[in-house]
Amino acid sequence: MKQQINKIEISAAAEIAAAADTQSLEAVRIKYLGKKGALTAILRGMGSLTPEERPVIGAYANTVRGKIEEEISARSESLKSASLASALENEKLDVTMPARKKPLGRLHPITQVENRMKEIFVGLGFDIVEGPEIESAYNNFDALNAPADHPSRDRSDTFYITDDILLRTQTSPVQIRAMQGKQPPIRIISPGRVYRCDEVDATHSPMFHQLEGLVIDKNITLGDLKGLLELWAKAMFGEDTKTRFRPHNFPFTEPSAEVDVSCFVCGGKGCRLCKGEGWIELLGAGLVHPNVLAGCGIDPQIYSGLAFGIGIERVVMRKYNIDDMRHLFENDIRFLGQF
Ligand code: DAH
């Protein structure tokens, strides 16, 4: 029986040392020390021994049991620390590794230019107001002094929803909304989308953006309009920028002008960008027509006003030297990523 115990001691030691994880170690424990384990069976069979042998074998069996228990707990400890070490090794975080690049989006050039314009006018004390893109024909045309036979009212030029409701063709109806029911001083800008029945080409789109401006107060003159727009052009395109006012006709202003800025590529000498003219047309402007003021309940004998409407796409194209407006709406990342 002593030999059997000795065999158990040797094979248990070998199997404990070979146990690769806590599960197989537990299996070894059960195999030798469990209720039906090998060593347990020996202790149970002690009854067949002589009274002299019994204490000797019993003591030996207990010593071996203690040894096996110790070996198991030592092995268990070392398995635990090994698995911790390997977890630490595998989950190692190298904070010095270069980060994976996340491509950052950016604002569309139209939005960037619109934001810059807002900044400039807000800095001059203007409020920003919004108007709806679906507008009444009254606000878009009648209240702006456009006669019934004005060409822009034609169905071939304007998207009508009903006879009285349309997609606004300009941001100017926001002027009406800003004046109705209010008294001067009024100083607002209003950027937004406008719609016209135009075929898409390099300089036309059925949807584009304008930024409307309106100032109503006592003693507003053409000098104020010129000074304001010159200031804007310099802030937008640089100190060297010159402006030019050409007489024009808009129903809602008198006098009216179209305003050009000197070409910032050639500085006015004439080049490909400005088609040899030295000037680039960006906006319409004028002094608010007395009929428009009176129609909104503002006394033209006391107050006068200036107004302007800037084509945002034109500013973007001139600022970034873009020769085809379609680029701005095709949403090609290779193009948009350049701004
Ligand atoms: N609404 C005009 C257009 O779309 C632009 C314009 C001209 C706006 C003169 C104005 C203005 O406020 O005073 O062509």
Side-chain angles (χ1 to χ4, degrees), residues 169-170 172 175 196 210 212-213 250 252-253 284-286 307-309:
T169 62
Q170 49 188 353
S172 303
Q175 291 187 28
R196 289 180 197 177
Q210 290 186 333
E212 193 76 15
F250 296 107
F252 39 89
T253 43
F308 55 91

